[in-house]
Amino acid sequence: MKKIAVQVDDLTVAYNYKPVLWDIDLEIPEGVLMAIVGPNGAGKSTLIKAILGILKPIAGSVSIYGKPYEKQRDLVAYVPQKGSVDWDFPTTALDVVMMGTYGSLGWIKRPSQKEKKAALEALEKVGMLPFKNRQISQLSGGQQQRIFLARALVQDASIYFMDEPFQGVDATTEIAIINILKELRKAGKTVIVVHHDLQTVPEYFDWVTFLNVKKIATGPVKDIFNDDNLTKTYGINYKVSIQE
Amino acid sequence: MLGSFAVLRKQSLLGDAISHAALPGIAIAFLITGAKDSNTLLLGALVSGLLGTFWIRGIITKTHLKSDTALGLILSLFFGFGMLLLTFIQKQPNANQAGLDKYLFGQAATLVESDVWLMAIVTGLCLLVLFLFWKEFKILLFDKDYAKTLGFNTKTIDILITSFIVLAIVLGLQTVGVVLMSAMLLAPAAAARQWTNSLSKMVLLAAIFGAFSGVFGTAISASQNNLSTGPVIVIVASVFVVVSFIFSPSRGLLFRQIRFIANRRDLEQQKTLAFMYHIAETHEDISHPHTIKILNNFQGFTRKTLQKLVDKDYVTIDGTMWSLTQKGFEKAANLYNQQHKTDE
């Protein structure tokens, strides 16, 4: 049995009495590349945000490798939705990636050459090194997404949470990103991705969680990614041909 | 300087709300002490400014109201209350009360040396805090949620920034007054944003613009009678903004328009050339003359464009006939192939 990387118990989140997540129990084993799927408003992003403490849950607890999340922050990296920030902010690609080092630096201390080197390496990995001094508003959507990915890579975490990294990126970027995610898994990291495109789930991921306010199912893609669970999650008769 | 942060947080109105919120503080401080010592009054302004700001924050986070609604609400509530107190004070038989309304529109002439020292100290403090927490401020402004996952207490950073904005505003009240203070905060920052894409340069530029507005504004108002300093400073700052909006090389309206016209002209020439190529292609001799009239069938053709092409030696004209030169033919062939490639 593999180690449990992320454990969620009885997690409930509500906005003004309306539950967005209801009593979620979730165990994510170490080293999986997991998709969280579900319809709009199912609480996929909310789940990630609640796990990371960005949103305050009404009830429930989260542990990372058996300890509370607050004590294990260094092991966790987050890639927010691209649309969550103002890309007209006056800063460069390199500068954004450097932000990934701020956590380990802590308060007041400034990034040094060491941090800069790490940021440049991360930019190289996502193929964005030529754009390091580019003002971020002059990057395409796919490039912005890569910058966010690089920022998480700099954190050198064990667990990566990503909120729709494939949203609004072209096919080339999508392939580049998924290759990086697969490399992370190969290196023993755990990657959790909010995902929209059901067609690509079997191709990209080995683990999946179906979510629609409540947890519908979670497990290996080959065991549970079937019409039955899709119908339960999306409420309509869903047929996806799974290629073996 | 601190205005940069307000602008980038899209909370530009915050400055307006804070300065208005400071008014009842001034009035209450006067009522309690009965004296017009500016330090005491500013302390009152600081307290009520902070109070107003954190109410606004509270409203935004606890209710579903948008931030502009919350700002507007607090602004008018505090300002109304402040005005009420001011009129109440004016009815009182206290001779001291005259001149309290200078905080409405500001009166730089009433500044004394100790006020200036206070300003210098607070500015120094702001610089120090800005320098120490630069990284934290930046990440909070850009991506608050992410900052949280890195383990930063975003609430603390937020309160720190906001408190310093309040402090800066309260200090400026004496000079430009409640009504115009937010322009003083925002104008330099908005102007600076036009010139640079780096946060540090933006903050620096905003500080320079702000200082220049102050110096020029004071100089202008001193050279003329009956020109009060505060409004003149604000007008100078606004001139910076207008000039920046028009003349900034990358974001300015002027250069954008020039680039647009230049691009359009280039495209017109290229299209005309491509059209000519199309006709010339049907003849074995590329320099075979054609009437100019035939070009009129082509949309977007102008005599001016033709003249430009002649100037570039791509086309020769003989009476009402034109023909492509060898150079023009090659250029057009290149264009034509390129367009074909992008079409596919």
Side-chain angles (χ1 to χ4, degrees):
Chain A
M1 187 66 193
K2 274 180 176 174
K3 266 199 279 183
I4 299 298
V6 182
Q7 175 145 9
V8 178
D9 291 308
D10 306 326
L11 192 74
T12 300
V13 179
Y15 295 131
N16 297 331
Y17 306 112
K18 191 173 169 261
V20 184
L21 287 176
W22 188 257
D23 203 18
I24 306 285
D25 289 307
L26 192 60
E27 280 182 357
I28 305 169
E30 182 180 45
V32 297
L33 180 47
M34 185 180 96
I36 301 176
V37 296
N40 289 332
K44 303 184 293 289
S45 300
T46 310
L47 176 60
I48 286 190
K49 284 183 181 166
I51 291 174
L52 296 172
I54 297 168
L55 287 173
K56 219 172 158 191
I58 289 179
S61 63
V62 174
S63 61
I64 306 289
Y65 286 113
K67 285 186 197 148
Y69 165 69
E70 286 75 21
K71 293 198 173 132
Q72 304 278 61
R73 271 186 213 278
D74 295 350
L75 300 177
V76 178
Y78 172 48
V79 179
Q81 270 185 31
K82 186 160 57 68
S84 65
V85 303
D86 174 14
W87 287 94
D88 201 30
F89 192 80
T91 190
T92 61
L94 178 62
D95 229 20
V96 172
V97 178
M98 296 271 271
M99 287 179 188
T101 66
Y102 286 8
S104 58
L105 283 170
W107 287 83
I108 295 175
K109 231 171 111 190
R110 268 149 198 270
S112 64
Q113 283 304 315
K114 188 179 127 219
E115 278 77 24
K116 193 173 171 190
K117 210 176 131 230
L120 289 173
E121 274 167 18
L123 276 170
E124 170 102 70
K125 252 184 235 166
V126 298
M128 288 292 293
L129 200 54
F131 300 94
K132 64 179 164 124
N133 291 324
R134 191 73 77 86
Q135 148 71 18
I136 54 172
S137 63
Q138 287 158 9
L139 297 171
S140 73
Q143 291 171 332
Q144 291 173 345
Q145 192 65 61
R146 288 181 199 213
I147 292 296
F148 261 14
L149 186 59
R151 185 176 68 172
L153 291 177
V154 166
Q155 287 180 255
D156 195 22
S158 310
I159 306 170
Y160 291 82
F161 287 92
M162 307 193 181
D163 204 343
E164 301 204 16
F166 303 116
Q167 194 187 39
V169 304
D170 60 17
T172 331
T173 309
E174 182 157 334
I175 292 165
I177 293 176
I178 194 67
N179 284 337
I180 291 167
L181 301 193
K182 283 179 174 169
E183 254 173 54
L184 285 172
R185 178 181 53 187
K186 220 183 270 170
K189 317 275 188 184
T190 311
V191 183
I192 296 133
V193 179
V194 170
H195 195 56
H196 249 304
D197 184 8
L198 292 171
Q199 303 294 337
T200 53
V201 169
E203 189 190 331
Y204 290 171
F205 300 95
D206 57 5
W207 210 264
V208 65
T209 293
F210 289 96
L211 187 76
N212 191 351
V213 183
K214 292 177 188 175
K215 184 190 78 183
I216 311 289
T218 182
V221 170
K222 61 179 187 329
D223 297 344
I224 69 156
F225 193 72
N226 51 39
D227 292 348
D228 187 31
N229 278 327
L230 284 165
T231 307
K232 271 192 212 160
T233 311
Y234 287 86
I236 46 166
N237 249 325
Y238 218 104
K239 291 261 188 282
V240 178
S241 52
I242 298 169
Q243 293 127 10
E244 286 298 322
Chain B
M1 195 169 62
L2 284 160
S4 306
F5 294 102
V7 169
L8 290 174
R9 288 178 80 189
K10 308 212 184 287
Q11 284 198 337
S12 308
L13 269 174
L14 185 68
D16 218 15
I18 295 170
S19 57
H20 282 77
L23 193 63
I26 294 171
I28 291 172
F30 176 77
L31 280 177
I32 293 172
T33 60
K36 229 169 38 189
D37 171 43
S38 64
N39 288 347
T40 336
L41 295 184
L42 287 182
L43 196 67
L46 184 67
V47 171
S48 82
L50 281 172
L51 198 70
T53 314
F54 292 112
W55 264 17
I56 292 167
R57 276 176 47 97
I59 291 177
I60 295 170
T61 49
K62 297 271 157 34
T63 73
H64 273 245
L65 289 177
K66 289 230 172 77
S67 67
D68 53 350
T69 318
L71 287 168
L73 203 66
I74 296 298
L75 182 152
S76 31
L77 175 69
F78 273 67
F79 190 60
F81 185 52
M83 287 305 284
L84 190 82
L85 289 174
L86 272 191
T87 30
F88 172 72
I89 291 168
Q90 272 164 10
K91 294 267 160 60
Q92 282 195 330
N94 185 341
N96 244 337
Q97 47 95 351
L100 259 192
D101 51 349
K102 79 172 184 196
Y103 288 97
L104 270 184
F105 298 107
Q107 217 167 352
T110 58
L111 288 176
V112 292
E113 203 187 326
S114 68
D115 295 332
V116 178
W117 276 113
L118 185 67
M119 281 187 191
I121 290 166
V122 174
T123 309
L125 196 66
C126 284
L127 279 176
L128 184 71
V129 170
L130 200 60
F131 181 76
L132 285 178
F133 297 103
W134 180 254
K135 170 173 116 255
E136 285 77 8
F137 285 174
K138 185 155 83 179
I139 195 166
L140 179 85
L141 289 173
F142 180 63
D143 195 345
K144 191 174 174 181
D145 283 353
Y146 184 70
K148 226 174 195 173
T149 66
L150 291 180
F152 289 106
N153 188 337
T154 49
K155 223 178 221 167
T156 312
I157 308 174
D158 201 13
I159 289 174
L160 202 62
I161 297 185
T162 314
S163 306
F164 274 92
I165 293 178
V166 175
L167 201 59
I169 288 173
V170 165
L171 274 179
L173 281 184
Q174 246 181 319
T175 327
V176 271
V178 165
V179 184
L180 293 175
M181 187 54 217
S182 73
M184 223 22 245
L185 189 71
L186 303 176
R193 180 68 187 91
Q194 293 295 315
W195 295 99
T196 175
N197 277 328
S198 136
L199 179 62
S200 48
K201 283 188 197 130
M202 174 177 167
V203 172
L204 192 70
L205 266 180
I208 293 171
F209 285 161
F212 265 101
S213 316
V215 172
F216 277 130
T218 316
I220 293 171
S221 87
S223 67
Q224 303 282 326
N225 283 332
N226 305 324
L227 272 186
S228 55
T229 315
V232 177
I233 292 177
V234 170
I235 288 169
V236 173
S238 309
V239 170
F240 274 111
V241 176
V242 172
V243 169
S244 304
F245 276 145
I246 297 174
F247 293 106
S248 139
S250 61
R251 298 166 71 97
L253 297 172
L254 182 69
F255 284 88
R256 206 183 292 169
Q257 193 62 29
I258 289 173
R259 264 202 306 272
F260 178 73
I261 292 170
N263 283 342
R264 200 173 54 184
R265 213 174 36 219
D266 281 357
L267 276 175
E268 258 168 23
Q269 286 178 25
Q270 288 179 7
K271 272 170 80 179
T272 310
L273 203 59
F275 185 71
M276 289 170 155
Y277 173 80
H278 212 61
I279 298 169
E281 224 184 8
T282 57
H283 289 269
E284 275 185 23
D285 175 19
I286 52 150
S287 302
H288 183 92
H290 303 270
T291 62
I292 290 175
K293 259 189 198 155
I294 207 171
L295 292 176
N296 290 337
N297 294 332
F298 172 66
Q299 269 191 335
F301 164 75
T302 60
R303 294 264 160 183
K304 236 184 179 168
T305 318
L306 191 62
Q307 193 53 50
K308 286 263 164 57
L309 289 172
V310 172
D311 292 347
K312 282 190 181 164
D313 215 7
Y314 290 154
V315 177
T316 52
I317 294 184
D318 185 20
T320 59
M321 307 295 271
W322 61 266
S323 55
L324 277 177
T325 62
Q326 186 61 35
K327 195 176 156 198
F329 186 78
E330 276 162 20
K331 171 85 180 170
N334 275 336
L335 280 174
Y336 200 70
N337 288 338
Q338 264 173 20
Q339 263 168 16
H340 244 60
K341 243 183 250 163
T342 45
D343 282 352
E344 275 159 19

